[in-house]
Each structure stands twice: as C-alpha cells, then as structure tokens.
Amino acid sequence: MELSYWEKTSAYANYDVIIVGSGIVGLSTSIFLKKINPDLNVCVVDRGHIPTGASTKNAGFACFGSLSELIDDEQSMQPNEVIELVEKRWRGLQLLKQLVNKDTIEYENNGGYELFTEQDELLYRNCLDRMDFYNSELNKIIGENVYSEYEGAAKHFGFNNVSHVIYNDYEAQLNPVLLIKELSSHASSLGVTLLNGLNVDAIQKLKNGVEVICNDNLIIKGRIATVCTNGFAEKLLPNLNVEAHRAQVLITYPVPQHKLKGVFHYDKGYYYFRNIGERILIGGARNADFDKEQTDSFGITDTIQNKLESLLKETIIPGIPFTVDQRWSGIMG
Ligand SMILES: Cc1cc2nc3c(=O)[nH]c(=O)nc-3n(C[C@H](O)[C@H](O)[C@H](O)COP(=O)(O)OP(=O)(O)OC[C@H]3O[C@@H](n4cnc5c(N)ncnc54)[C@H](O)[C@@H]3O)c2cc1C
C-alpha cells in the first residue's frame, strides 16, 4: 500500500527522537524529553497493540530491593554500588509517583515482607548482620530506617515453615497496566506520537539522521533513535550484551480465607507474591531452571509453574484450597 503525502511527512518523518519500545522506560523517556524541551517532535514505536515485554506482565511491586537481594548483589558489586542502585530505584519510584495519579494506578502502600524458612537460618543471620549498615545508608536517602525484624508475621499471615520475616514499610503495590495507560495518556497530552503494531527490524544511521525500518518496509525518519526494548535490546543492538530472561507468574481465583496484604519476597528475590484483593499472584522460581528461562520467548513450563504452586500450597497458604485462574510470562533484560 502506498503512503499518502500526509502520512509520509507527518506520521513517519521529521521526528527529533524516535523511541523504540513503549514500556515504562520508553514512555518515561518520551515524557521527560518533552518536559526538557516541549518543542521536540517525539514518537514512540512499539510492535504490540499494547507494550509486549515486561511492563504489562509484571507483578506490580513498587519495590527497591529486599535485604537478602541487596546482600546477594554484593557478590557482583561493591556495597556503595548496591546503595547507588537502590537510590536510583527509590528516586525512580518517587518520579513515577509525581508523573501519575496514585489512585488511578491502584497504588497501595501496604509494605513489603521478606520470608526466611528454617533452611534459611544462615541467610537470615547474614541479613541481620548487614541490617544496620543498609538501614543507616538508606536512611540518608529515604529519611527513615527501612528494614526491621517482624517476628510475629509468620503466625499473623498463617505461613508454614517460616521462622523469620523482615519488614519494609516503604514497599507498595500497583496495577502495571493502569500505570502504562497513565503514562501513555500523559505522553499523548504532551504531544508525543504513539505508533503501535510496528516491529522495528533495524535502525540505520545516516549522515544527518536515522531511519527506523519496520515491518512491511515502513520507514520512520528522524534525527536520533533510542532503543528501550529491554530484554529484546540485543536484536537491534547486537554489541550491547543484554541477556533476555523469562519470568513466569500465576494468579489464583479469589481465596477468601487468606490473610495476605502487601508484597512478599522469598529466596533472595527469586520468588515474589502479593494479594490482588482476595486473589494471590505468585511469580519467579527462575533459579529452578536458569538455562531454560534464559530466553526471549514467552511461554510457561511445568517445572516453574509446579515450583510456584508448591510454595503456595506448602508454605504460603498451607491447608487452604485454591485454584489457579491464569498463568503467563514476561521477558526482561
Ligand atoms: C513477570 C515479571 C514480573 C516482574 N515484576 C516486577 C515487579 O513486581 N516490580 C518491578 O519493579 N519490576 C518487575 N519486573 C520488571 C519490570 O517489569 C521491568 O523492569 C520493566 O517493565 C521494564 O520496562 P521496559 O520499558 O524497560 O521494558 P518492556 O516493558 O519490556 O518494554 C519493551 C518494549 O519494547 C517492545 N519491543 C521489543 N522489541 C521491539 C521491536 N523490535 N520493535 C518494536 N517494539 C519492540 C516490546 O513490545 C515492549 O513493549 C517484572 C518483570 C517480569 C517479566
């Protein structure tokens, strides 16, 4: 199909910035570019009708790191780098809250909990040893101590085989699709053009700009392009060395007997669960099958789904019957 003059010049050309990927990062990038310079002509291109990566598939935790996750990060980073990373996450969350209406995205500050089973005693002791350090460093950023022991929590929530819980008052939960909708309408209101259903196959640098080549040989022309495709980034930028990892999730039908309220972490962040009203969402278990989960293909597997169901059945809501309603996966970099 031939493009009209209008389409060619006003829909697919003359952009100052072409952003590929309309997840949280792509949309936020467009919003902040327009805030810095409202005259910029910005478009965001995504292959999906809605973003199709991680931003609409995730668990909706507004979190910045459980204590054991931070200690685990110390294996590959210096403690000051871990603090810098947490600070970025924290400041990112504050910026996000300024951009969108908290009520519209079902943002609830119900706190976060990290569970330690009897087998995790050593890990728990390590967390206690490092708690003062992280509390004092994060106090400089957040203004309060973040982590505290909550010895009555296991009984309160009805967990089985959980000996200790660490509480974080600053974690919250939200509805990720409502967040994306809010960011999209914010971007549109600032004059950002949102182009959906276009897969970007390549980006070509020209002398005086770029050509973003999409399916059906459609070409979008602009001055610069920015790639916000997360787990799929290597496809457009092969030298970037971004590994794609799949994360699987399940959600139950309403389980009226459960007492969960908030966001919960287990096993150094590899497992996470939360309530959504009377339902329970649980995800993770990537460490049960690292090799298979290192992929950019969506899909669910028995190995991971069985792990999630077992944790739910044996530890989280022991003795309470539940039925799984939906299972899905997302891809992250
Ligand atoms: C199951 C799961 C649970 C998670 N839970 C949480 C959580 O509770 N809290 C939290 O903070 N984080 C969570 N995360 C991580 C979080 O979702 C991501 O860090 C975040 O969404 C990344 O946003 P993004 O914009 O970088 O990427 P994405 O949302 O992945 O966006 C990338 C976009 O690029 C598009 N795209 C890719 N390739 C192309 C192409 N060639 N052409 C055009 N478009 C393309 C995709 O369609 C996609 O919309 C979770 C992730 C997963 C997968």
Side-chain angles (χ1 to χ4, degrees):
M1 181 181 56
E2 296 79 21
L3 295 180
S4 73
Y5 166 78
W6 317 109
E7 288 165 338
K8 207 167 177 179
T9 54
S10 302
Y12 302 123
N14 295 317
Y15 289 107
D16 294 305
V17 186
I18 302 164
I19 296 169
V20 187
S22 71
I24 297 172
V25 174
L27 289 172
S28 305
T29 304
S30 74
I31 290 168
F32 283 101
L33 280 171
K34 289 294 275 185
K35 280 182 186 282
I36 292 165
N37 183 352
D39 293 334
L40 285 178
N41 194 9
V42 179
C43 80
V44 185
V45 187
D46 202 288
R47 61 186 180 176
H49 299 296
I50 60 171
T52 312
S55 296
T56 55
K57 310 277 189 192
N58 68 43
F61 283 36
C63 60
F64 47 88
S66 67
L67 197 49
S68 74
E69 204 181 331
L70 303 187
I71 292 167
D72 200 41
D73 282 344
E74 288 180 5
Q75 306 283 332
S76 54
M77 289 185 237
Q78 294 300 316
N80 66 310
E81 292 173 320
V82 177
I83 299 289
E84 280 168 22
L85 183 63
V86 175
E87 180 169 10
K88 282 182 189 164
R89 290 173 180 157
W90 173 255
R91 299 219 182 282
L93 284 170
Q94 305 319 303
L95 276 176
L96 209 56
K97 281 194 278 180
Q98 286 167 21
L99 281 185
V100 298
N101 180 332
K102 283 198 295 178
D103 294 334
T104 319
I105 61 169
E106 294 172 358
Y107 183 96
E108 288 177 36
N109 189 185
N110 294 327
Y113 304 81
E114 176 163 21
L115 280 59
F116 299 86
T117 61
E118 282 157 20
Q119 293 75 39
D120 302 322
E121 194 59 31
L122 187 62
L123 179 66
Y124 178 65
R125 294 287 146 208
N126 285 342
C127 286
L128 287 190
D129 286 347
R130 299 293 285 150
M131 192 186 274
D132 282 350
F133 168 77
Y134 279 106
N135 270 339
S136 94
E137 289 302 312
L138 296 188
N139 200 318
K140 293 175 199 161
I141 298 162
I142 293 171
E144 297 279 349
N145 283 354
V146 168
Y147 302 106
S148 58
E149 292 173 81
Y150 183 175
E151 287 301 343
K155 198 168 168 215
H156 172 77
F157 291 115
F159 298 140
N160 178 38
N161 184 32
V162 171
S163 349
H164 308 284
V165 172
I166 291 178
Y167 179 62
N168 173 351
D169 199 23
Y170 293 88
E171 291 197 333
Q173 54 207 87
L174 54 80
N175 177 327
V177 168
L178 296 183
L179 170 62
I180 285 293
K181 281 184 165 184
E182 276 280 284
L183 290 175
S184 302
S185 55
H186 195 120
S188 294
S189 73
L190 293 171
V192 173
T193 303
L194 303 178
L195 298 172
N196 284 94
L198 286 177
N199 188 75
V200 173
D201 295 326
I203 299 172
Q204 264 174 14
K205 268 195 206 170
L206 307 175
K207 251 194 189 146
N208 52 356
V210 289
E211 282 187 347
V212 171
I213 300 159
C214 306
N215 49 306
D216 299 332
N217 286 327
L218 192 130
I219 295 176
I220 307 172
K221 294 182 181 176
R223 279 207 292 140
I224 61 168
T226 169
V227 175
C228 300
T229 55
N230 191 20
F232 307 93
E234 249 194 6
K235 287 200 166 137
L236 293 173
L237 303 170
N239 297 328
L240 210 56
N241 194 18
V242 174
E243 280 176 11
H245 288 262
R246 181 167 64 197
Q248 300 185 35
V249 175
L250 68 80
I251 188 167
T252 66
Y253 281 105
V255 184
Q257 303 97 311
H258 83 72
K259 297 180 192 147
L260 304 176
K261 191 172 183 188
V263 296
F264 298 81
H265 310 260
Y266 170 59
D267 196 7
K268 292 173 264 179
Y270 280 115
Y271 291 80
Y272 39 88
F273 57 98
R274 59 170 281 192
N275 73 303
I276 302 178
E278 290 185 337
R279 292 171 185 260
I280 302 170
L281 177 152
I282 178 167
R286 213 159 42 84
N287 53 346
D289 205 354
F290 268 132
D291 289 346
K292 261 211 186 114
E293 296 308 300
Q294 193 175 326
T295 172
D296 65 3
S297 300
F298 292 90
I300 50 173
T301 64
D302 286 348
T303 310
I304 302 291
Q305 293 291 324
N306 289 341
K307 279 272 176 195
L308 298 177
E309 278 194 53
S310 296
L311 189 69
L312 204 47
K313 199 178 293 174
E314 287 157 23
T315 306
I316 301 170
I317 47 167
I320 300 180
F322 66 89
T323 313
V324 175
D325 179 11
Q326 273 179 255
R327 305 172 194 271
W328 69 87
S329 70
I331 307 295
M332 54 194 171

